[in-house]
Amino acid sequence: MTPGAEPGSGFRWPEALCAPVRELPDHTRLWVALSGGLDSTLLLHLAAHCHGCSGAVRAIHINHQLQPNASDTESFCRGECERLGVPLVVERVTVDGGRSSGAGIEEAARKARYAALEALVGKGDLVLMAHHGDDQAETVLFRMLRGSGVAGLAGMPASRELGTATLVRPLLGFERAELERWARVAGLSWVDDPSNTDQRFDRNFLRHTVLPLLRDRWPGLNRRLRHTAESCGESEALNRKLAALQWQAIGGDRDRLPVDGLKTLPLAEQKNLVRWWARERGFHAPTPGDWQQVIRDLLFAAEDREPEFRSDGFSLRRFQGDLCLVPDRGPLPDAPVDLEPGEGVAWGEWSLRLESVVTPEQSLPPIRIFTRQGGERVRFRPDGPSRSLKKWLQEVGVPPWERTRLPLVFAGSGDAAELIAIGDLWCSEQYSGGAHAAGWRLVVERECD
């Protein structure tokens, strides 16, 4: 732990530090993301000073359980909050080290941290994070080395949505040396994270080796990189506005974008529109190595082809003249599932249940849920002919990737089993409406993104 000196008599927080913390949007609760380090400890004291009388200030400490001093840091955060009269919530998270996603441990910890924050906060809440000017410079340089475009080079925004809450970074205009000077004058103590000195991590290498050399050569580096971030942020805002206008002009509709309209745009605008679309749907923008080849495959492949580009959490596919954004889905049951009266079944993005409508006059036959195996036939009327399910799905325009996930509900067993429902596309009259024939109504619902 790094102790600060006792503050002199008459110490007062400088107005320059207080102003961005005091002048916040209206909020229900004010959360401080407290790591126990210098920056967040200082921010906690500023928030308590500026808003303590409101009773709205809270703190949250995310214990990643990665460092040897994790327990000591948690205890320190509890002590600071207790002294300030600020309620503290501690969330312990498990970080998988990026093994499941292929990311590094830094990225895995960041995702776990933000997921915990988002789960805790509510509508109208503000979450204060203590990122400062040095963090912003580091972020811009790091993203530049990774080959980011203007969206990445815009750096960390001063505020953004965090679930139903808003995340705010009030200290971006200050350098770390400034904050440390005031923390020492105020007599604050804090905990140093030992991982911050480990230069095996790219960010620490930039922080401790690269950036000091750059600052020696180019004084005012933070200011220069801040201007770069601001310029890139302005460019990104214009890109988003252009994409929104083109989306409307082309006739985009949530998860579909007409291919013919997209073909009229130059490559740069096609890329911009697709990136905007992905972000609007809540995903990271795709970053293919060869955009030109991806666009060519998606827009100009032969009609009998099914081109696909996979990205983080979704894929882009083409179907019947549209480019489709298809979110990744969880696995389906690997075997047929029995559907019992009064017991719902979750089937991927679907839920199914049987509801009693009238007192059944006869026992209910076995009801089972399958996926397509091939060769299924459907009879839309009890006295009508059967039809190939495959051809019917093609006729009604169900995309191939959805056909494989549709829950097919059969009544009966063995060769006598009859298809009674196809997802939420069709249900036998015996199990829909008043369900007078069976006494049971089959309810099939699909979750909305």
Side-chain angles (χ1 to χ4, degrees), residues 23-297:
E23 298 165 3
L24 296 172
D26 292 338
H27 52 271
T28 304
R29 295 179 298 180
L30 184 63
W31 294 91
V32 177
L34 179 63
S35 69
L38 161 68
D39 316 319
S40 66
T41 301
L42 175 67
L43 182 57
L44 174 70
H45 281 258
L46 287 171
H49 172 72
C50 295
H51 299 277
C53 294
S54 70
V57 180
R58 307 281 191 277
I60 177 171
H61 174 68
I62 308 297
N63 187 341
H64 300 91
Q65 306 180 89
L66 293 174
Q67 301 303 326
N69 67 341
S71 295
D72 292 339
T73 302
E74 180 181 316
S75 297
F76 168 80
C77 291
R78 291 186 186 277
E80 286 294 293
C81 289
E82 184 176 348
R83 280 189 288 275
L84 292 170
V86 173
L88 173 68
V89 174
V90 174
E91 292 287 334
R92 295 183 180 88
V93 297
T94 300
V95 180
D96 69 358
R99 289 184 295 271
S100 63
S101 62
I105 194 166
E106 289 178 294
E107 179 64 14
R110 189 191 72 84
K111 288 184 176 180
R113 180 165 61 250
Y114 279 100
L117 286 171
E118 188 170 334
L120 175 68
V121 298
K123 186 176 182 180
D125 289 356
L126 292 185
V127 179
L128 302 187
M129 300 197 78
H131 296 111
H132 46 68
D134 290 45
D135 294 324
Q136 185 74 296
E138 177 187 307
T139 296
V140 173
L141 185 59
F142 183 64
R143 291 179 180 177
M144 182 179 67
L145 294 173
R146 293 177 63 181
S148 297
V150 292
L153 295 180
M156 296 179 289
S159 66
R160 69 170 178 84
E161 292 181 355
L162 180 67
T164 58
T166 301
L167 184 153
V168 179
R169 298 181 173 99
L171 302 182
L172 282 179
F174 300 92
E175 298 191 2
R176 189 186 188 280
E178 262 185 294
L179 301 180
E180 182 173 350
R181 183 170 62 252
W182 281 111
R184 292 188 182 280
V185 170
L188 301 187
S189 299
W190 59 88
V191 178
D192 294 311
D193 183 346
S195 70
N196 285 341
T197 61
D198 187 348
Q199 295 197 39
R200 291 176 301 173
F201 297 125
D202 291 340
R203 283 185 175 273
N204 289 341
F205 176 69
L206 284 177
R207 183 181 305 140
H208 297 293
T209 299
V210 177
L211 280 167
L213 290 174
L214 294 177
R215 290 190 178 104
D216 286 344
R217 182 65 181 249
W218 290 283
L221 181 69
N222 282 12
R223 174 178 49 80
R224 296 166 187 253
L225 291 177
R226 183 172 68 249
H227 290 165
T228 295
E230 291 170 353
S231 297
C232 289
E234 292 171 357
S235 296
E236 175 61 12
L238 292 174
N239 289 344
R240 288 176 178 254
K241 186 171 184 178
L242 174 63
L245 292 172
Q246 291 175 331
W247 174 266
Q248 292 182 340
I250 291 174
D253 181 19
R254 187 173 169 79
D255 288 336
R256 292 187 177 230
L257 184 61
V259 166
D260 287 343
L262 194 56
K263 286 180 178 179
T264 66
L265 304 178
L267 178 62
E269 294 178 16
Q270 291 172 340
K271 292 161 57 179
N272 181 58
L273 181 53
V274 170
R275 285 193 294 253
W276 173 87
W277 183 19
R279 291 195 192 102
E280 286 294 300
R281 291 290 284 110
F283 300 104
H284 293 298
T287 55
D290 187 348
W291 265 106
Q292 189 166 359
Q293 184 62 49
V294 169
I295 292 293
R296 184 185 299 118
D297 290 344

Side-chain angles (χ1 to χ4, degrees), residues 370-378 387-391 393 403-404 406 408 410 419:
F370 295 75
T371 51
R372 285 186 61 209
Q373 304 298 312
E376 294 89 356
R377 300 186 69 82
V378 56
R387 295 195 57 192
S388 163
L389 175 62
K390 176 181 178 180
K391 290 184 178 180
L393 291 173
R403 299 172 201 166
T404 60
L406 282 171
L408 304 181
F410 286 82
L419 183 58

